[in-house]
Amino acid sequence: MIPTDISPETISQHGLTPEEYQRICEILGRQPTFTELGIFSVMWSEHCSYKSSKIHLRRLPHQGPCVVQGPGENAGVVDIGDGLVAVFKIESHNHPSFIEPYQGAATGVGGIIRDIFTMGARPIALMDALHFGFIDDPKNRMILEGVVAGVGGYGNCIGIPTVGGQTVFSRHYANNPLVNVFCLGIARRDQIFYGRATGVGNPVIYVGARTGRDGIHGATMASEEFDERSEEKRPTVQVGDPFLEKLLLEACLEAMHSGLVVGIQDMGAAGLTCSTCEMGSRAGTGVEIELDRVPQREAGMTAYEIMLSESQERMLLVTREENEPKVLEIFTRWGLDAATIGRVTGDGMLRVLQSGTIVAEVPNRPLADGAPVYNRPMKRPAYLDEARAFGADLVAPPRDWEQAVIRMMSSPNLCRKRWIWEQYDHMVRTNTLVGPGADASILRLKGKERRLAISTDCNPRYCYLDPAAGARAAVAEACRNIVCSGGTPLAATNCLNFASPENPETMWQFSQTVDGIREACQALGTPITGGNVSFYNETNGIGVYPTPVIGMVGIVERESHITPAAFREAGDVVLLLGPEEVSLAGSEYLEVFHNRVEGVPVPVRLELEKRIESFLGNAVREGWVRSAHDCSEGGLLVTALESALLAYPRLGIELRISSPLMPHQALFGEGPSRVVLSAPEQNLQKLLDRAREMGVLLRPCGRVTSLKEVRVVYNDADILSVQVAAIFETWDRALESWLQAARMNETTDEHR
């Protein structure tokens, strides 16, 4: 029975089921107050509790020789040697970015940065993984422009470089953008901090911005699908202040490195509620706070509003009583609000007072960790049989190869994303050795010989057609990008973006994806140190592609090992490393020319992938190759062209291919575990011999030229000869051209 003084409608408005409400009553031994109802609603939301995904996420590998901290804290931590650790995580801000693109993306950046410095690390780099609908739709264009401005605006102002990422366009992201942001920081291994409220009697201190009414029920909003009334949820989107966050970052690191902090937690999703109960739950303690002491920027805020506000740039920390004045002095000196709002208790309760009266009293452990865990029904999606039926012989070859190449290279997913990353400061702090546009970004560790490599990857088309195989391919490609750039993969974080978990077909996709990630991470030795699940990415019942974005971190032992994707010297031999099997199924060519996403993409063979990465890593460390570029979306011709275009205007390429396939199948077909290399002629035999020893396929397929043209000879017949400049201009400026055309069409429509 539902108690009569809290109506079923009120329970539903809080995103709770009648059964969940009854469980709350059983935990409390009574009916909740309205404030307690709000507290449970955010902590038991899908966004905070992972109640639909937790049972599956347990299958992921979290342990490894380099792992210092896995899931369960604010970010993952891996040992990178020399007494240092890398602290990293990826998070989503999809729903807020749909409602208010600029602030949604900006506060996503701010939130992930806080997750990193909460652990005691200084953030040194950001990456993003952005997915949009096609920008000929004015709404999608507005979302794209707002999101990119928000990512750049926050990162640029706080002084953390955005060094790379991924941008994907598909009709399946129309009105459902995915905005995933990855952040990496560096800390000393002996100075890692945790979100735990230890030490009964220790002061609990609120620091940072004042609390307002922005973002109330943001976590609940992120646990719902959208409809035509979704923009009415604009008040649930927070407003960020990167300049204030910069002050907060420096003040927190000073307090931590001065030995004054016992535990610390970001007030992210669910705000003060989340930080208090999670810190107490992790430590097995209680936390008592007085809301009258909470710095507030609006008058007359209720206990419900204060506890559920998601105002940005706020932290909660615990210190020892003797250090309380020193902590307050540090934050005051940095111009930040700081107030002791409570104490750590020994009773395991979250106790909230306002004007001396208890307004909420809830046991921490059930609130933070006791949300119901659902093993939701699963069903293989009905669309799969039809989508996977594919006749490659029905896909016609291009009539005009020059126009086909230009069309491919100027397509939204293959064109250069310079318009996006030029809005980001990717060189601030002078740690960026390789920035946007490369297979992986490379970061300097000042004073150390080692470098860090980071990448984000996912091919949503593959995941749509085969979630498990697509997930394996995403992990493999993220690792391969690290290896192509001269590094060794260490560990990963993931951001799993899906439609409603209440749909059995979505849960089947999710479970398959988790299995695919598990298999690939185990085979390639890259444990998952944490991440994020974002469900309910759908509008009016239409969901996004299954999109498991993988963020990978690796080590480059020496700067001399860094290998570019761009060709470097005329006369070098061009080689294709990896298996011969390719397909137009799920390919960029199929979607660009035929508007079809169907078929069964070639699956990655993980044992072969591991051998190929081992061969390539060895060749790079030996100095045998001059460039390496992952051969993925677009196939062999697109990858080879990119290596030439990245060397523009110095170099060209001549490809000579022999194959039993039709030319468009061989040149635009896609397959896993393939890399386009260039190497000096004198290293060719060494490479071929080593490939033979390791049981991997390596064959010459062309030469880097100084003619500044692209020539393709297929089975001894010339099929393409075009100046590199002609392709470069369209590839380099295509995204801007798409945007200009969309604006012009919009202006024309307004004047009709």
Side-chain angles (χ1 to χ4, degrees), residues 376-389 464-468 503-512 599-600:
R376 294 193 183 273
M378 295 185 289
K379 177 185 175 184
R380 186 178 185 272
Y383 73 81
L384 272 179
D385 288 336
E386 182 177 355
R388 288 162 64 90
Y464 168 74
L465 295 169
D466 188 331
N503 182 340
E505 294 187 349
T506 298
M507 287 311 302
W508 185 89
Q509 293 172 328
F510 186 84
S511 180
Q512 290 283 302
V600 182

Side-chain angles (χ1 to χ4, degrees), residues 92-95 97 129-132 143 147 173 176-180 460 497-498 534 537 544-549:
S92 65
H93 233 219
N94 304 335
H95 288 67
S97 299
L130 310 177
H131 296 73
F132 302 106
I143 291 173
V147 164
Y173 302 107
N176 272 282
L178 301 184
V179 179
N180 297 174
N497 305 272
F498 287 79
S534 176
N537 291 290
V544 300
Y545 281 146
T547 311
V549 175

